[in-house]
């Protein structure tokens, strides 16, 4: 009888441990959005605007997309680079595919590259969603993260090489500057730059504290290119 009781107790303990482990794994699994083709990164990189260039920024998008169940697609960061130091300029608009793009909630942001760079795109405070499904805090919140790194002009092309607008083509995390856009389409003034999703103003620096002080968190726009 004692042996049977011991076995019963052991079995019960094992079942409880298994259930607890299963519950823990379920709680740790992030929301899955396999049909998503656009998102704003929920977190920035560990070194401010220094992603190690475009390749590192793309990797950041790909990693976050994979965690959200959309890793089968090829993801690209909406970033431009400038023709400095022998580098070839890269236009953000040329590296993100053809569209259409939808966020984690299934809302279409734009139908094409041309639509994305027109007044018709649907990027707003309500549609600016991370890969986790959460909204990016707009300037109406205490913590404001509406500044998104782009290094890009309004038409999606790179800036000329005379002034750094890309934190050294995304390799600096100290002094420097990068163009940012307002994903909530809001600003301090009622003008075009304040409402621009990709070309609002330069950041105060390239390190994370400077990006936060400007009104962001080193976040990126990510698009599925295929």
């Amino acid at each position: 009888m004692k042996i049977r009781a011991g076995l019963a107790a052991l079995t019960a303990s094992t079942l409880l441990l298994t259930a607890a482990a299963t519950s823990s794994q379920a709680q740790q699994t992030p929301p899955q959005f396999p049909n998503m083709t656009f998102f704003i990164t929920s977190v920035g990189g560990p070194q401010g605007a220094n992603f190690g260039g475009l390749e590192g920024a793309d990797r950041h998008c790909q990693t976050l997309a994979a965690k959200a169940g959309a890793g089968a697609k090829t993801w690209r960061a909406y970033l431009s680079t400038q023709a400095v130091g022998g580098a070839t300029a890269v236009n953000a608009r040329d590296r993100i595919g053809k569209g259409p793009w939808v966020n984690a909630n299934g809302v279409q942001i734009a139908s094409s590259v041309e639509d994305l760079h027109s007044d018709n795109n649907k990027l707003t405070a309500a549609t600016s969603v991370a890969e986790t499904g959460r909204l990016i805090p707009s300037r109406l919140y205490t913590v404001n993260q509406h500044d998104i790194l782009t290094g890009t002009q309004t038409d999606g092309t790179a800036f000329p090489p005379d002034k750094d607008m890309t934190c050294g083509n995304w390799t600096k995390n100290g002094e420097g500057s990068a163009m940012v856009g307002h994903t909530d389409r809001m600003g301090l003034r009622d003008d075009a730059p304040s409402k621009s999703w990709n070309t609002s103003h330069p950041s105060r620096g390239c390190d994370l504290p400077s990006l936060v002080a400007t009104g962001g968190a080193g976040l990126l726009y990510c698009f599925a290119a295929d």
Side-chain angles (χ1 to χ4, degrees):
M1 293 295 292
K2 291 183 178 180
I3 294 176
R4 290 181 180 177
L7 288 173
L10 179 60
T11 300
S13 298
T14 302
L15 289 173
L16 286 172
L17 288 172
T18 302
T22 302
S23 175
S24 177
Q25 290 174 357
Q27 291 175 2
Q28 293 174 4
T29 301
Q32 301 293 285
F33 303 104
N35 297 322
M36 172 179 66
T37 53
F38 163 84
F39 66 89
I40 299 171
T41 57
S42 59
V43 294
Q47 299 186 56
N50 178 10
F51 289 91
L54 291 178
E55 183 179 349
D58 290 344
R59 189 182 308 115
H60 186 53
C61 288
Q62 193 74 45
T63 299
L64 294 178
K67 291 180 180 179
K73 304 176 180 70
T74 300
W75 290 86
R76 296 285 181 263
Y78 182 89
L79 296 175
S80 293
T81 58
Q82 296 170 264
V84 294
T88 301
V90 175
N91 302 321
R93 66 179 291 143
D94 297 335
R95 57 192 321 273
I96 59 173
K98 298 180 179 180
W101 298 283
V102 298
N103 67 15
N105 296 326
V107 178
Q108 183 170 291
I109 298 302
S111 60
S112 64
V113 173
E114 290 72 24
D115 187 38
L116 178 66
H117 293 92
S118 75
D119 293 335
N120 188 54
N121 78 61
K122 303 303 187 293
L123 263 172
T124 66
T127 62
S128 297
V129 179
E131 82 286 348
T132 59
R134 76 170 180 85
L135 289 172
I136 301 301
S138 72
R139 69 181 302 269
L140 301 179
Y141 289 74
T142 301
V143 177
N144 177 18
Q145 297 181 342
H146 75 164
D147 282 356
I148 311 299
L149 296 168
T150 68
T152 300
Q153 300 185 92
T154 55
D155 62 353
T157 60
F159 281 94
D162 56 322
K163 184 179 180 181
D164 183 16
M165 287 290 184
T166 58
C167 284
N169 285 340
W170 315 111
T171 62
K172 293 181 180 179
N173 63 345
E175 293 184 357
S177 187
M179 179 57 67
V180 302
H182 287 169
T183 190
D184 58 3
R185 317 299 286 272
M186 303 177 191
L188 297 175
R189 297 176 298 278
D190 185 22
D191 58 10
S194 295
K195 298 177 182 179
S196 175
W197 68 276
N198 65 346
T199 315
S200 287
H201 57 79
S203 65
R204 297 181 185 178
C206 299
D207 59 292
L208 184 56
S210 295
L211 297 177
V212 171
T214 307
L219 307 184
L220 304 173
Y221 292 117
C222 299
F223 291 81
D226 60 10

